[in-house]
Amino acid sequence: MSSSSVAVIAGARPNFMKIAPVLRAFDAHGGFSSTLIHTGQHYDANLSDVFFDELQIKSPDVRLSISGKTHGEQTAEILTGTEAIFTKGDRNGRQFDYVVVVGDVNSTMAATLAATKLQIPVAHIEAGLRSGDRSMPEEINRLVTDSICDLLLASESTAVQNLISEGHTSERVHLVGNVMIDTLRAFLPQARARQTVTEFGVKPEGYATVTLHRPSNVDDAPTLSRIIKVLTEVSCRLPVIFPLHPRTKSRLEQFGLLDQLNAASGIQVVEPLGYLDFLCLNSQAKVLITDSGGLQEESTALGIPCLTLRANTERPVTVEQGTSTLIGNDAELLAVELENVLTGKYKTGQCPELWDGNAAERIVQIIAQRV
């Protein structure tokens, strides 16, 4: 029997950790020929290429060059580019039996639109996540993507409930677990064997890791200044390692805050890290301070306190069952919860259902049944 042809779409850093186990599962199944399409939405080597190397992801079969544009321009170019690929078919000229998209970036929504208009069924991994905040571009991408997908593959039970309440039929909705955690569990031993923590001159469970990039935190000078003040104060008691996202670095420079950050003796400002170094660092931290959705999940799987600088989250299981606490951009609340961490009063959590490292295998089995 000939294999089924699937196209897997990735474009931005959060996608790469999610597609790695899915591609491996397609290969292991034996009944699929997969085509990896990299839209180029993240083009910096530190945000893209290093992840392919470290996560042992095959080189993309097709690369688009979409980068550095507005949301509308990106979406239009990805839509046009993927439509051309889907029309042409795979390397053997066969029409794709399925398109697989992950997450909530512009590449996800645009590729879904292109495939659906060509009547190619689409499977959405991480379907049903909702923050309820339509000011977030990602929320619009989630809603549009899920509304037209054939298969909705959810990482947590709340997402299943969201999809059913939106009118999706139960045969299209599946709770499969979390592919991000598949990657974490697969690479954690390798990551922790690295010397990243030692190289930064800190001790396991003796430092905080910080990541910031969302406009609500970094685009307003007073808000960013208050956050930096809290980080500076806590760094006198707990060393802080702060990999700087390009957007955050630009805003810090624009607002005249970068020198202040660099002057804090307890804070190490560093370039973005590769996946393994970052996982090594995060898996041994005392606390994570972040506005990243993925780190909310990773910290919950690792059992590490996570102070989430967002007013809402599309991943409520990380707050309700896990180790995340929503801080918003409230610097005073951030200081209070950091004190709880330092004094041992912070909550403990548990790992959600099916976050067991086998989500990708479940996904491939479901798609196999459909094709």
Side-chain angles (χ1 to χ4, degrees):
M1 186 179 72
S2 62
S3 61
S4 300
S5 183
V6 294
V8 179
I9 309 299
R13 175 173 173 157
N15 295 165
F16 306 140
M17 290 84 84
K18 300 167 189 175
I19 64 165
V22 175
L23 289 167
R24 285 196 297 272
F26 276 129
D27 288 344
H29 183 276
F32 290 94
S33 171
S34 63
T35 298
L36 176 57
I37 301 169
H38 187 342
T39 69
Q41 188 175 329
H42 272 174
Y43 55 97
D44 184 279
N46 287 331
L47 296 178
S48 179
D49 292 349
V50 66
F51 283 79
F52 279 75
D53 294 337
E54 293 186 346
L55 299 180
Q56 300 159 26
I57 303 171
K58 69 176 183 177
S59 295
D61 298 283
V62 183
R63 281 184 183 266
L64 302 177
S65 299
I66 313 301
S67 62
K69 303 177 187 296
T70 67
H71 283 285
E73 290 169 335
Q74 268 191 3
T75 302
E77 293 192 24
I78 295 167
L79 175 59
T80 302
T82 53
E83 180 185 57
I85 296 164
F86 298 154
T87 301
K88 183 179 179 181
D90 67 13
R91 65 181 69 87
N92 297 313
R94 295 181 300 166
Q95 182 179 5
F96 294 109
D97 296 293
Y98 252 90
V99 170
V100 178
V101 298
V102 296
D104 52 21
V105 298
N106 292 337
S107 299
T108 306
M109 180 184 69
T112 299
L113 284 169
T116 302
K117 289 193 173 189
L118 292 171
Q119 300 184 3
I120 305 171
V122 181
H124 182 203
I125 298 172
E126 286 195 336
L129 298 179
R130 301 287 183 268
S131 68
D133 181 0
R134 294 199 179 193
S135 70
M136 297 175 63
E138 297 93 339
E139 184 78 351
I140 305 304
N141 291 343
R142 295 178 201 120
L143 289 163
V144 172
T145 299
D146 286 343
S147 69
I148 56 177
C149 275
D150 178 69
L151 269 178
L152 301 165
L153 306 166
S155 59
E156 59 178 85
S157 57
T158 303
V160 173
Q161 296 166 14
N162 291 336
L163 292 164
I164 297 300
S165 69
E166 290 169 7
H168 298 287
T169 57
S170 57
E171 60 266 22
R172 294 173 57 205
V173 179
H174 300 266
L175 179 64
V176 296
N178 192 323
V179 290
M180 180 85 85
I181 306 307
D182 287 12
T183 295
L184 183 150
R185 297 199 183 284
F187 286 91
L188 184 59
Q190 184 179 342
R192 296 193 77 162
R194 296 169 83 93
Q195 299 300 310
T196 313
V197 172
T198 302
E199 289 169 0
F200 280 117
V202 291
K203 297 180 179 180
E205 299 185 23
Y207 59 92
T209 303
V210 178
T211 73
L212 296 174
H213 73 282
R214 293 189 181 274
S216 58
N217 290 319
V218 305
D219 282 5
D220 179 70
T223 297
L224 186 56
S225 179
R226 287 191 292 269
I227 293 171
I228 297 303
K229 183 174 184 292
V230 173
L231 296 179
T232 301
E233 290 172 350
V234 79
S235 72
C236 297
R237 302 165 61 193
L238 185 71
V240 172
I241 302 174
F242 194 165
L244 270 192
H245 188 282
R247 179 193 188 94
T248 308
K249 182 177 181 180
S250 174
R251 295 298 182 270
L252 287 166
E253 291 173 338
Q254 178 184 343
F255 302 146
L257 295 171
L258 188 57
D259 289 342
Q260 175 185 334
L261 193 62
N262 285 325
S265 60
I267 299 178
Q268 296 185 59
V269 178
V270 301
E271 293 295 317
L273 300 173
Y275 178 76
L276 294 177
D277 282 332
F278 200 41
L279 179 56
C280 179
L281 199 64
N282 291 337
S283 67
Q284 298 176 77
K286 179 79 170 178
V287 60
L288 306 183
I289 304 165
T290 187
D291 54 17
S292 161
L295 287 185
Q296 293 174 62
E297 295 176 323
E298 290 188 1
S299 60
T300 281
L302 292 165
I304 293 174
C306 181
L307 306 183
T308 303
L309 296 174
R310 292 175 54 182
N312 49 57
T313 180
E314 65 282 358
R315 296 164 168 86
V317 73
T318 63
V319 176
E320 295 163 3
Q321 296 182 29
T323 56
S324 174
T325 297
L326 294 179
I327 302 295
N329 53 23
D330 186 336
E332 292 184 4
L333 180 57
L334 175 60
V336 168
E337 291 296 347
L338 278 169
E339 186 65 24
N340 287 335
V341 170
L342 289 169
T343 56
K345 298 177 182 177
Y346 192 79
K347 67 178 181 178
T348 57
Q350 62 183 28
C351 198
E353 180 184 5
L354 298 183
W355 288 24
D356 56 6
N358 300 309
E361 285 75 14
R362 297 186 192 101
I363 288 167
V364 170
Q365 288 296 333
I366 292 167
I367 294 175
Q369 292 168 10
R370 299 290 284 234
V371 299

